Amino acid sequence: LAENQFEEAVQLYHASQYLEKQTTEEDVILKDHANLRADTWIKFFFLRGYSYILVRTFDYKYEDPTSKREICPREMVVAPDSEEGKKCYQKTRTGYLILRKDIDNFFFDLSDNFSKIYNNDSIVIFKRINNNSQAL
């Protein structure tokens, strides 16, 4: 890894450490694999099973018409307050998002449905605000 990529990996490690302490096994977390570097090990950090964490992957993987890939992870990152995004949050019960700073977090910064709970040089974590179980 280049020095900058190494620093981003360290920043992601610290963010994951913080989030692991803030969540329980019942909490659902979404990470943005499309933009995070060195993120594949995060699922092992939480020790909640290999398939524990939800993952938004590269956009081209959602564009294959023959694929039955679930589109919710993409919608929850790129359009969190859209009708589809809201349905996906309800369906998956996702409460936390790990994003690379300054990529896609613009929508979350403007939303009344999410609160920034962690921020470092490379990573930002948002928590979904439940609004007393009202539909988002």
Side-chain angles (χ1 to χ4, degrees):
L1 288 175
E3 185 175 330
N4 189 40
Q5 291 175 331
F6 178 76
E7 181 59 31
E8 287 180 24
V10 170
Q11 296 288 324
L12 182 57
Y13 176 87
H14 289 296
S16 299
Q17 186 177 39
Y18 168 83
L19 192 56
E20 189 273 332
K21 291 177 182 175
Q22 299 299 314
T23 60
T24 67
E25 289 186 26
E26 290 79 34
D27 290 318
V28 179
I29 300 169
L30 171 65
K31 72 178 175 96
D32 185 13
H33 176 70
N35 293 305
L36 290 173
R37 297 183 183 152
D39 69 310
T40 54
W41 58 268
I42 292 174
K43 59 184 133 200
F44 300 110
F45 192 94
F46 290 97
L47 297 175
R48 297 177 188 169
Y50 181 78
S51 61
Y52 164 67
I53 202 161
L54 288 176
V55 178
R56 181 248 182 146
T57 190
F58 301 101
D59 288 339
Y60 74 87
K61 291 188 176 187
Y62 297 101
E63 296 167 3
D64 179 358
T66 63
S67 172
K68 296 187 189 259
R69 180 175 298 278
E70 173 63 61
I71 65 162
C72 275
R74 179 190 65 190
E75 295 303 308
M76 291 189 298
V77 171
V78 300
D81 285 334
S82 70
E83 288 306 313
E84 188 65 32
K86 290 176 186 178
K87 287 178 190 174
C88 288
Y89 277 101
Q90 290 174 344
K91 175 182 166 184
T92 63
R93 297 176 298 121
T94 299
Y96 296 88
L97 294 98
I98 306 172
L99 303 171
R100 187 166 171 209
K101 190 174 181 177
D102 299 328
I103 299 178
D104 288 329
N105 58 289
F106 173 78
F107 300 112
F108 297 94
D109 286 332
L110 295 177
S111 177
D112 292 333
N113 296 317
F114 298 88
S115 178
K116 187 184 299 182
I117 62 168
Y118 184 91
N119 187 36
N120 66 29
D121 292 341
S122 303
I123 307 298
V124 62
I125 298 174
F126 288 91
K127 181 178 181 179
R128 180 175 163 224
I129 299 169
N130 208 354
N131 295 336
N132 298 326
S133 73
Q134 296 175 358
L136 289 177

